[in-house]
Amino acid sequence: MKNVKWVVEDEKRKHVYWPSEHMKKRAWVSDHSVYQEAEKDPVAFLAKKAHEGLDWKKKWNTEYHHDEHKPWDFKWFIGGEINASYNALDRHVKAGKADKTAFIWVPELTEEAPKKITYKELYDEVNKFANVLKKLGVKRGDRVGIYLPMIPEVIVSMMACARLGAVHSVVFSAFSGESLKDRLIDADAKVLVTADSCYRRGKVLDLKSNADIGVAGTDVEHVVVVKRTGNAITWNDAKDQWWHDLMKDAEDYCEPEFVESNETLFILYTSGTTGKPKGIVHDTGGYLTQAYWTTKWNFDLHDDDIFWCTADIGWVTGHTYGCYGPLLVGATMLMFEGAPDYPDPGRWWKTVEDYKVTVFYTAPTAIRMFMKFGDEWVKKHDLGTLRLLGSVGEPINHDAWMWYFEVIGGGRCPIIDTWWQTETGGTLINTLPGIGPFIPTVSGRDFPGKKHVIVNEEGQEVKPGESGYLIQKPPFAPGMFRGIHKDEKKYIENYWTRFPGHYDTSDGARLNEDDTIRITGRVDDVMKVAGHRLSTGELEDAINKHPLARESAVVPKPDNIKGEVPVAFIILRDPSKASEELKKDIVKHIDKTIGPIARPSEIYFVHDVPKTRSGKIMRRILRALVRGDADVGSTITLMNPECVEELKKMVQHHG
Ligand code: WTA
């Protein structure tokens, strides 16, 4: 690739890369005409793409409808009938791709054999498991919880739900039993699919006991248990059944249920600004359209590619780029069960070498972790098959970008920095590999057919070189979520109120001189901890449930590897109880309520936290304190300005 000098105000950002001739020739998109066509008539363009990319049983009668007075109430492909699993499996099998590998599954234990699962094998398993679910009473529209580690059954379960027109709700397997329970209740799930245990760094973790906590007191009638490790677990005869027993008797074929395009495909819970996670609802036809085209164009997938998206399937990235997208385009993907550095920090790179991965998609937090382990772990392996790299989940800093580009990509592979959210279903802002430019810390421009703008407090568009709030203009992307499950009020308030007529992303962004966009990060109380989305409110709620805690405030602190880490300020009911032991107990309590990913990196027992006169916690001041800012900003409007000095001393002492 040629390195073109680009004059910017940021000294470090002197790198701008363009696609090589080879990349341009190979890429699905390599000239700007697709952008022009999309801009002229985005609805017609996206409808054409929906038709080209997917098989519809019945064509829609209205491409797009959105009510001027209720912009959040938009619909794509009204009246169209489609089935997700048919599009991901049946049509490939019918088109002669039955023997193509759908995915390679790489287990965590190096002594265990990997599996290659062809499209036909996956099709067979999905058909059978759909019949199993049907027998358990699952019908179109019913919700099924999935609480599984990264094993093939998680994809089979999702696809089986989709086949029946049922709604899956996958819960990240590192979430606690309590978290699972909240989600199963909110989703009114009827069935849960889980496993006896999972492996984590060679150790066996009992998942079933979490699942037991999760289903207690819910409407879940059946629990299907995959035998992964074979260790002893508790068993409830009234509800529990083994996956392999049920599959033995299942029939081979299950007719796919074609649903109206706007029917729900899945609910995925994510953190918002309040304590309670939100059930993000995705529809079928719009989501699949976005998943199909973004997978194909961003990662430029062709028949000979091996695509590895490292995200856990419990997050949206795992849904769209570790399941739906690659299967819809008929690609071969890799699914890895384990931790990135187990048994050693060369594991990922050995995996790339062993399976000849060509396209690799991960998060900046992982890149920074590997940077710290050192180049020698990478250099041991031949990464020559890689041709394209992707980044997602948080802003990527310049140094991580350069290291990813040079050490992992060998200076050959463009980095596609994809900006999107659980709510958007698929990527919305990124450079396309055959078009470029690839610039460290810059995501790029709108995916064809979409338009985002950056505005100031008053909703006016900022000028190039300025920063502001990132908002989406209508027509809204087909992959956009369709609401928060059972909470329309919150849906409208959170996303559609601040900038009327637009979707509010809650992200800050900067418009560059060349019209590309750089994402600067969240402007609300959502944190990105090692790529995982967590809210300060959720953590505070969990801490406040500890019997000795009266009140708490959680803020993110920048971290060189994880991006951000939570720091907790806790006011105890009885301050004399403060001790290191209590800190440990609170951590244990957080593990139980949310899961270990939410552990604070520091806990301070304090007498008070800064509050406004109306009693609202001033997080701005706490954020400045943990960042180590010399100036924490004005304390004039505080009810209790004196507490700031005490906190400052504590934090400085710790730092
Ligand atoms: C952040 C993950 C910068 C952003 C797909 C967004 C990013 C939040 C990028 C959504 C990126 C995601 N550059 N920031 N390329 N991608 N983000 O729902 O703050 O887990 O709002 O979805 O991640 O996180 P979520």
Side-chain angles (χ1 to χ4, degrees):
M1 267 186 295
K2 86 181 165 222
N3 187 354
V4 180
K5 210 149 167 72
W6 196 53
V7 188
V8 282
E9 78 296 353
D10 174 352
E11 250 313 293
K12 271 183 157 177
R13 290 182 20 200
K14 56 183 187 289
H15 302 91
V16 175
Y17 299 92
W18 296 92
S20 64
E21 283 311 311
H22 178 72
M23 176 61 83
K24 272 204 234 163
K25 233 182 252 150
R26 189 183 156 116
W28 290 110
V29 181
S30 55
D31 70 68
H32 285 80
S33 59
V34 38
Y35 284 101
Q36 285 148 9
E37 183 192 345
E39 212 167 302
K40 233 192 272 158
D41 189 345
V43 170
F45 172 79
L46 290 163
K48 186 173 118 190
K49 289 291 148 200
H51 181 69
E52 253 176 60
L54 302 170
D55 283 10
W56 297 78
K57 184 167 181 220
K58 182 169 162 259
K59 193 157 179 214
W60 52 86
N61 41 51
T62 308
E63 293 168 343
Y64 177 77
H65 173 76
H66 125 222
D67 184 336
E68 289 294 315
H69 306 287
K70 291 199 273 173
W72 54 85
D73 192 11
F74 59 92
K75 286 191 172 73
W76 280 91
F77 315 128
I78 302 166
E81 286 177 18
I82 190 162
N83 179 279
S85 96
Y86 180 89
N87 274 277
L89 304 169
D90 304 42
R91 63 173 179 157
H92 303 316
V93 171
K94 283 185 189 163
K97 277 181 154 184
D99 295 331
K100 180 169 177 172
T101 304
F103 64 96
I104 306 163
W105 175 70
V106 182
E108 176 174 283
L109 303 180
T110 43
E111 58 271 27
E112 192 177 343
K115 283 186 193 157
K116 275 190 179 165
I117 295 146
T118 64
Y119 272 92
K120 175 64 166 56
E121 284 162 349
L122 182 57
Y123 167 89
D124 287 342
E125 292 291 289
V126 168
N127 271 280
K128 279 165 70 178
F129 195 60
N131 281 327
V132 166
L133 290 175
K134 212 183 207 175
K135 256 205 175 143
L136 296 178
V138 175
K139 295 184 300 296
R140 177 170 174 172
D142 286 346
R143 267 82 60 206
V144 174
I146 300 176
Y147 184 58
L148 284 172
M150 291 287 277
I151 55 177
E153 286 83 352
V154 73
I155 292 184
V156 174
S157 306
M158 289 162 77
M159 283 291 152
C161 290
R163 196 160 191 90
L164 296 174
V167 176
H168 59 71
S169 184
V170 180
V171 178
F172 180 41
S173 62
F175 275 134
S176 67
E178 293 291 336
S179 288
L180 173 65
K181 186 197 195 87
D182 290 346
R183 288 157 172 80
L184 293 175
I185 291 176
D186 191 80
D188 303 306
K190 260 179 119 152
V191 171
L192 176 71
V193 188
T194 187
D196 52 357
S197 288
C198 55
Y199 289 108
R200 199 66 187 161
R201 301 177 171 282
K203 280 202 210 101
V204 173
L205 295 189
D206 181 350
L207 201 64
K208 177 63 170 41
S209 62
N210 284 353
D212 289 343
I213 297 172
V215 296
T218 71
D219 290 339
V220 171
E221 291 157 20
H222 302 282
V223 179
V224 181
V225 188
V226 177
K227 192 179 248 177
R228 171 71 191 105
T229 60
N231 63 314
I233 51 168
T234 51
W235 196 258
N236 173 359
D237 279 328
K239 281 190 182 167
D240 302 345
Q241 297 187 69
W242 285 111
W243 171 289
H244 55 265
D245 285 342
L246 293 166
M247 288 291 267
K248 250 191 332 235
D249 307 324
E251 290 200 17
D252 291 342
Y253 180 72
C254 174
E255 188 71 28
E257 181 87 20
F258 287 82
V259 299
E260 201 275 338
S261 181
N262 291 277
E263 285 181 46
T264 304
L265 177 60
F266 66 86
I267 302 175
L268 182 59
Y269 285 83
T270 192
S271 298
T273 40
T274 58
K276 200 172 152 270
K278 308 180 277 195
I280 300 296
V281 177
H282 279 286
D283 76 359
T284 307
Y287 170 81
L288 296 177
T289 304
Q290 187 112 7
Y292 181 96
W293 288 101
T294 54
T295 305
K296 183 162 176 157
W297 283 357
N298 293 342
F299 304 111
D300 194 43
L301 293 185
H302 296 261
D303 241 354
D304 53 351
D305 276 310
I306 312 274
F307 176 50
W308 183 9
C309 163
T310 67
D312 191 282
I313 204 126
W315 303 95
V316 76
T317 309
H319 277 56
T320 308
Y321 302 106
C323 181
Y324 283 104
L327 296 177
L328 288 172
V329 303
T332 297
M333 58 180 172
L334 187 137
M335 178 184 207
F336 178 59
E337 183 188 32
D341 54 348
Y342 182 84
D344 65 53
R347 184 69 195 271
W348 269 15
W349 316 123
K350 180 173 176 351
T351 305
V352 169
E353 178 178 16
D354 287 353
Y355 300 99
K356 303 190 168 37
V357 172
T358 58
V359 181
F360 181 73
Y361 188 34
T362 195
T365 185
I367 298 163
R368 290 190 296 261
M369 183 176 86
F370 285 107
M371 263 172 96
K372 199 168 152 216
F373 287 140
D375 297 9
E376 61 275 17
W377 290 105
V378 185
K379 298 265 155 70
K380 280 189 191 156
H381 300 284
D382 177 4
L383 306 187
T385 50
L386 287 176
R387 62 180 199 90
L388 215 152
L389 302 173
S391 174
V392 62
E394 45 174 326
I396 182 165
N397 50 306
H398 185 276
D399 293 349
W401 199 102
M402 290 311 299
W403 187 84
Y404 196 24
F405 181 72
E406 276 158 6
V407 180
I408 303 301
R412 299 181 313 276
C413 312
I415 296 179
I416 311 301
D417 178 3
T418 60
W419 174 86
W420 59 299
Q421 309 176 307
T422 305
E423 290 85 343
T424 72
T427 69
L428 285 180
I429 300 176
N430 56 262
T431 301
L432 292 178
I435 301 255
F438 316 106
I439 310 168
T441 78
V442 173
S443 285
R445 56 177 54 108
D446 286 305
F447 195 80
K450 254 340 298 144
K451 183 81 188 144
H452 286 83
V453 289
I454 301 168
V455 296
N456 61 19
E457 292 283 345
E458 283 76 48
Q460 291 148 343
E461 285 190 35
V462 302
K463 292 199 239 357
E466 290 177 358
S467 300
Y469 302 96
L470 182 73
I471 63 175
Q472 190 184 136
K473 285 176 80 160
F476 302 107
M480 288 292 287
F481 71 134
R482 309 308 303 282
I484 297 176
H485 187 55
K486 295 198 294 204
D487 203 342
E488 192 185 27
K489 189 165 162 271
K490 202 192 238 177
Y491 169 61
I492 297 169
E493 262 171 32
N494 281 4
Y495 301 103
W496 303 94
T497 307
R498 183 160 181 190
F499 300 104
H502 294 82
Y503 167 71
D504 177 6
T505 68
S506 293
D507 269 310
R510 208 184 79 130
L511 185 65
N512 294 320
E513 302 292 340
D514 60 355
D515 260 357
T516 58
I517 291 174
R518 174 196 199 175
I519 308 293
T520 50
R522 300 287 300 197
V523 293
D524 59 2
D525 291 324
V526 168
M527 301 176 273
K528 273 313 193 78
V529 180
H532 297 148
R533 182 164 160 177
L534 281 175
S535 86
T536 53
E538 196 178 352
L539 218 78
E540 287 163 3
D541 258 26
I543 294 172
N544 298 349
K545 280 188 196 135
H546 188 281
L548 297 187
R550 179 195 301 283
E551 202 185 349
S552 61
V554 172
V555 289
K557 175 181 171 174
D559 182 89
N560 285 341
I561 296 196
K562 294 183 170 177
E564 289 180 325
V565 288
V567 173
F569 295 87
I570 305 176
I571 304 171
L572 294 176
R573 292 184 185 279
D574 175 357
S576 71
K577 292 268 166 63
S579 70
E580 286 306 308
E581 276 316 298
L582 180 56
K583 282 188 189 171
K584 281 192 200 130
D585 193 57
I586 289 177
V587 167
K588 237 197 262 159
H589 167 81
I590 292 169
D591 283 1
K592 240 174 55 196
T593 342
I594 305 180
I597 55 163
R599 283 183 192 174
S601 73
E602 290 153 38
I603 292 179
Y604 297 104
F605 292 126
V606 298
H607 292 109
D608 215 351
V609 289
K611 283 186 182 156
T612 60
R613 296 216 167 89
S614 58
K616 251 184 82 187
I617 298 171
M618 282 283 262
R619 289 210 181 73
R620 166 176 67 77
I621 292 180
L622 293 173
R623 265 200 300 262
L625 275 174
V626 302
R627 266 201 316 257
D629 291 358
D631 177 12
V632 299
S634 165
T635 57
I636 233 156
T637 54
L638 293 186
M639 175 168 74
N640 50 356
E642 64 289 346
C643 79
V644 176
E645 279 312 306
E646 179 203 346
L647 297 179
K648 208 185 236 173
K649 274 192 213 119
M650 267 179 134
V651 173
Q652 273 165 0
H653 178 71
H654 186 278

